[in-house]
Amino acid sequence: MGKTLLEREQDHPQEIVVERGGRRIVTMDSARYVDERNTGRDVVVPASYIGVLPARMVAVHRPRAVIGHDACVGKDGAGIAGLWYLEALGIAAACADGMTADMGNGEDLYRSGVVKHVNYVAETCGVRPGMSVAEAADLLLDTDPTDTEVGNKIRREVVETHESGRRVVVTDSIVWAYPEDENTSVLVTAGHTGRSGAKFLLEAKPWGFICHDGGMSKNRSGIAGLATADEAGLAGACIDGTTAPIGDAFAGYEYGLISAHNQAAAKRGVEVGMTVKEAAHRLLVGGA
């Protein structure tokens, strides 16, 4: 015979730490403790890693948002892989740095944790790495996501503007270049710079570009587009795949390093080993 709700609540202890406007922030020691009590209204803070398995346990109950532990990320990023599982379902989620909060202790996660990893849905609510878990939970309690459809996920931000009107634009893929980027924008993106990437670069005709090196890959195919771009007079460089993840241009811009560049970029002062920020600046101010 199935357990009653009261029996399940005893098995799955939760602590309500904030209640406002019919919504709650609820801490618990395990993702397994998320249940139907949390559906639709609660920001749950379970002190489990947010890998795919715990994310599945949580997602079936559709809480408002989730903040968990990153288990110090671990091999193959398994400690945070559930962030994108939840993102695909339109659920805002974040993980705290494993060195700031105890695993298996929901109260400590809420009181002491510092956010380190965020999915896109949580980003649209204003959650950022470096926030305390308590601050992030408050934001998720009060702020509705502005985009829960993965197909609409186009992140784009102007991060530097030159007196000429040129600018550095960060966006996750070169396929999201706009007509106004032609001969105007240095596009910092996070797709590979292979043969197909070069095709999109030639179509976009930016003032300059920085894409990802795709880990270089077989026959250095991850950067093959640099030569094609050089032939067309497009100055460009690549983000070192060991320093920033493919597919996330904002991470690449924030802490990536340059692994390769073409001759047109070298003429503007771009060098292997420099930060992506510095390389983007040199591409912006260099040239005619």
Side-chain angles (χ1 to χ4, degrees), residues 16-68:
I16 300 166
V17 293
V18 176
E19 188 163 7
R20 188 165 62 240
R23 298 170 177 172
R24 310 180 305 178
I25 298 172
V26 183
T27 66
M28 56 205 72
D29 292 342
S30 172
R32 179 67 181 86
Y33 297 167
V34 177
D35 59 30
E36 60 266 34
R37 288 171 287 174
N38 310 118
T39 300
R41 66 171 177 168
D42 290 346
V43 177
V44 296
V45 185
S48 292
Y49 72 102
I50 304 298
V52 174
L53 178 60
R56 287 170 54 202
M57 292 178 183
V58 169
V60 69
H61 298 294
R62 302 294 305 198
R64 177 175 175 80
V66 184
I67 304 178

Side-chain angles (χ1 to χ4, degrees), residues 77-148:
I80 62 172
L83 287 177
W84 298 283
Y85 178 95
L86 294 166
E87 178 180 298
L89 297 173
I91 299 174
C95 292
D97 183 334
M99 299 309 293
T100 67
D102 293 345
M103 291 199 75
N105 184 336
E107 180 181 2
D108 187 68
L109 175 61
Y110 179 73
R111 304 294 178 191
S112 304
V114 176
V115 172
K116 188 172 183 180
H117 313 276
V118 182
N119 74 9
Y120 174 67
V121 185
E123 271 186 28
T124 72
C125 297
V127 178
R128 298 289 184 268
M131 284 183 171
S132 69
V133 168
E135 181 184 4
D138 255 358
L139 267 176
L140 293 170
L141 186 69
D142 295 332
T143 310
D144 293 326
T146 58
D147 183 1
T148 59

Side-chain angles (χ1 to χ4, degrees), residues 239-272:
I239 300 169
D240 185 336
T242 67
T243 66
I246 193 166
D248 187 341
F250 290 81
Y253 182 75
E254 189 61 32
Y255 51 78
L257 301 178
I258 297 297
S259 63
H261 56 77
N262 62 19
Q263 287 302 308
K267 291 176 181 177
R268 297 192 196 174
V270 176
E271 300 175 357
V272 170

